[in-house]
Amino acid sequence: MEPVSLVVGAVLVAVGFVAGRIGRRRPPAPPANPQPVCGCGHPLSQHDTGTNTCYAELRRDAYDKRGRWAGHTWVPCTCRQYVGPRPIDEVFVPRVLPPAD
Ligand SMILES: [Zn+2]
Ligand SMILES: [Zn+2]
């Protein structure tokens, strides 16, 4: 087999892995008890309330130069601000003062 064919085959395999991972990252949300999540896919509870950064870690498949699976690596989520829906009590804080008369 020609070297070029090997390269093409490796690329196709890599694309297949990536496509599979992307497809698995967004499962259909369960209709019951939907949890508000950020754009990064993590719930508000995974975000630091002070800095808004996400401290969840993502498990990535690692591959060596030959495209063979070489274990998992954990990388921090790159999210820097929670952009998903927030609980009502956090967004809407009326603080209605009674009339002072
Ligand atoms: Zn995140
Ligand atoms: Zn986030």
Side-chain angles (χ1 to χ4, degrees):
M1 186 180 289
E2 300 175 17
V4 173
S5 301
L6 290 174
V7 172
V8 171
V11 169
L12 290 177
V13 170
V15 169
F17 276 125
V18 172
R21 276 172 40 73
I22 292 175
R24 268 184 276 124
R25 281 190 62 183
R26 293 186 177 278
N33 189 22
Q35 186 178 30
V37 294
C38 174
C40 68
H42 298 122
L44 178 60
S45 60
Q46 296 268 37
H47 292 69
D48 190 290
T49 53
T51 62
N52 269 333
T53 56
C54 179
Y55 53 79
E57 288 193 322
L58 305 173
R59 192 177 72 173
R60 292 262 171 83
D61 289 328
Y63 299 95
D64 63 13
K65 295 175 183 175
R66 297 184 180 180
R68 294 180 302 190
W69 185 73
H72 292 123
T73 57
W74 291 88
V75 296
C77 185
T78 57
C79 176
R80 289 293 172 263
Q81 184 175 6
Y82 179 81
V83 297
R86 291 173 181 273
I88 295 295
D89 58 348
E90 276 196 25
V91 176
F92 186 61
V93 185
R95 292 282 189 260
V96 177
L97 297 175
D101 57 355

